[in-house]
Amino acid sequence: MLSRIAESLFWIGRYLERADGTARILDVHLQLLLEDPWIDEDTACRSLIALMGGEADPEVHLTRKDVLALLAVDRDNSASIAYSLSSARENARRAREIISTELWECLNTTHARMPRRVAGDKAHEFFRWVRERTALAIGVTETSTSHDDAWLFFSLGRTIERADMTARLLATRSLTEASGPSWTTILRSCGAFEAYLRSYRGMPTARNAAEFLLLDRLFPRSVMFSLSRAEEYLVALDPTSSRLGVREEAQRVLGQIRAELEFRPISEIISDLPGHMEEFQVATASASEAIRQRYFPTSAVPVWIGENS
């Protein structure tokens, strides 16, 4: 497969997952601002922008409206939903000869219907629309694309982005004190609350919720699940084995992250959750860069606010 096509498929997967994850995070956190009158709006908004890797003017008092403008509909902000959906469509255009007509029509329609502004009372409806459109694009890909190299690159991008988004979400728990989201809020942000209740049969605690989102091998949005799938896709793309261990840098980086999560005590991770999650985000960025160098070395890697390599 041409490196240009592989790169486009990889980033279609990442941008779709990024739009979905951002919509989930914004939906729950902005709703929390409406329901809890004791939360300081400015502090909570700054924490949310920091979660997505952005910086806000310290002299300006932030509101829900500012967060919506910056992270939802700003087409020039690489952390926004609008930017992600537009970039997914642009990458699909570059790979038009390989993707299905259904996927192209889905992404093109989503891009055309993306609003320029979202009213505060329509935010939940907008985020639900984003989740539905990304789910449709992913479902179309799963059912109309052969599970060959094209599908592997698309899925690889999705799993790496999903792991990164879950890590960002976990880091929010300690960004602020009184204004920080509860563990129930964090679980709801990634659609994990019901799955958590079925697994632990009780209200979330810090240890159990973090353990579930980090280590559960069956929940598709957990960090461990995403890392394991990413490793499987990399092996499928390059199935040759070596007596001397893992040869590919991306596999090595992802394997090191997974081993760190598996064998480090959960209490130790929770004691400095933001720090560990920041290290994890740096590692996923390194894995993404290793994938770029291995499969599409002639292209500059697209980055978003806060992503380091």
Side-chain angles (χ1 to χ4, degrees):
M1 178 180 295
L2 293 174
S3 63
R4 170 181 61 84
I5 301 296
E7 180 186 26
S8 294
L9 292 166
F10 177 80
W11 281 99
I12 291 171
R14 288 202 68 167
Y15 282 127
L16 286 174
E17 195 64 42
R18 185 175 299 176
D20 176 81
T22 303
R24 290 175 180 276
I25 292 171
L26 292 180
D27 192 13
V28 174
H29 282 67
L30 293 181
Q31 185 64 30
L32 186 65
L33 287 178
L34 288 177
E35 296 175 353
D36 192 342
W38 301 106
I39 293 179
D40 180 71
E41 185 175 31
D42 179 70
T43 302
C45 289
R46 290 184 188 280
S47 298
L48 191 53
I49 292 173
L51 162 67
M52 307 310 295
E55 295 183 3
D57 187 343
E59 304 298 326
V60 177
H61 184 274
L62 296 179
T63 64
R64 294 176 71 252
K65 182 178 179 181
D66 297 318
V67 172
L68 278 172
L70 182 65
L71 297 180
V73 296
D74 187 347
R75 285 166 165 75
D76 296 323
N77 179 11
S78 59
S80 75
I81 293 171
Y83 184 96
S84 295
L85 293 176
S86 176
S87 297
R89 187 257 185 190
E90 178 62 21
N91 278 278
R93 185 185 64 80
R94 295 172 183 171
R96 185 65 187 88
E97 65 267 37
I98 198 78
I99 66 170
S100 66
T101 300
E102 290 87 351
L103 177 59
W104 167 249
E105 291 176 347
C106 175
L107 294 176
N108 205 35
T109 300
T110 302
H111 172 72
R113 295 179 180 176
M114 181 68 199
R116 292 283 178 179
R117 60 180 59 86
V118 177
D121 59 344
K122 298 292 184 180
H124 177 70
E125 181 180 338
F126 167 73
F127 295 136
R128 182 175 60 185
W129 175 79
V130 172
R131 294 197 303 270
E132 289 174 352
R133 295 305 299 183
T134 55
L136 177 60
I138 293 168
V140 164
T141 304
E142 292 290 333
T143 57
S144 65
T145 302
S146 298
H147 286 202
D148 53 11
D149 285 357
W151 178 83
L152 287 172
F153 278 112
F154 173 84
S155 300
L156 178 61
R158 283 187 58 219
T159 54
I160 289 179
E161 188 67 33
R162 178 172 288 183
D164 180 84
M165 293 298 288
T166 302
R168 288 175 184 271
L169 186 59
L170 282 167
T172 62
R173 184 62 184 91
S174 301
L175 282 175
T176 58
E177 297 298 331
S179 299
S182 67
W183 282 107
T184 298
T185 299
I186 289 176
L187 288 168
R188 290 188 184 279
S189 292
C190 52
F193 186 64
E194 289 79 6
Y196 170 88
L197 292 179
R198 287 195 296 271
S199 298
Y200 287 85
R201 303 185 184 280
M203 294 306 294
T205 63
R207 177 187 177 88
N208 290 346
E211 184 178 64
F212 183 74
L213 290 176
L214 284 171
L215 301 176
D216 192 274
R217 296 181 181 278
L218 300 181
F219 182 64
R221 291 188 179 276
S222 77
V223 173
M224 183 63 68
F225 185 97
S226 299
L227 289 176
S228 298
R229 286 299 176 89
E231 288 184 89
E232 292 175 9
Y233 298 145
L234 285 171
V235 171
L237 285 168
D238 187 8
T240 58
S241 59
S242 171
R243 293 175 58 182
L244 303 179
V246 176
R247 297 182 303 170
E248 296 297 332
E249 180 63 21
Q251 286 181 250
R252 185 178 297 109
V253 172
L254 293 177
Q256 288 173 342
I257 305 172
R258 178 178 51 76
E260 181 78 8
L261 288 175
E262 281 186 308
F263 296 105
R264 173 170 286 185
I266 187 66
S267 57
E268 186 177 329
I269 297 176
I270 294 176
S271 66
D272 185 20
L273 194 57
H276 287 302
M277 292 303 97
E278 183 177 351
E279 292 175 1
F280 177 82
Q281 291 166 42
V282 172
T284 55
S286 297
S288 181
E289 173 64 14
I291 291 169
R292 183 191 72 82
Q293 292 180 359
R294 170 67 175 83
Y295 292 104
F296 16 93
T298 59
S299 303
V301 61
V303 297
W304 66 316
I305 295 174
E307 186 173 80
N308 301 308
S309 59

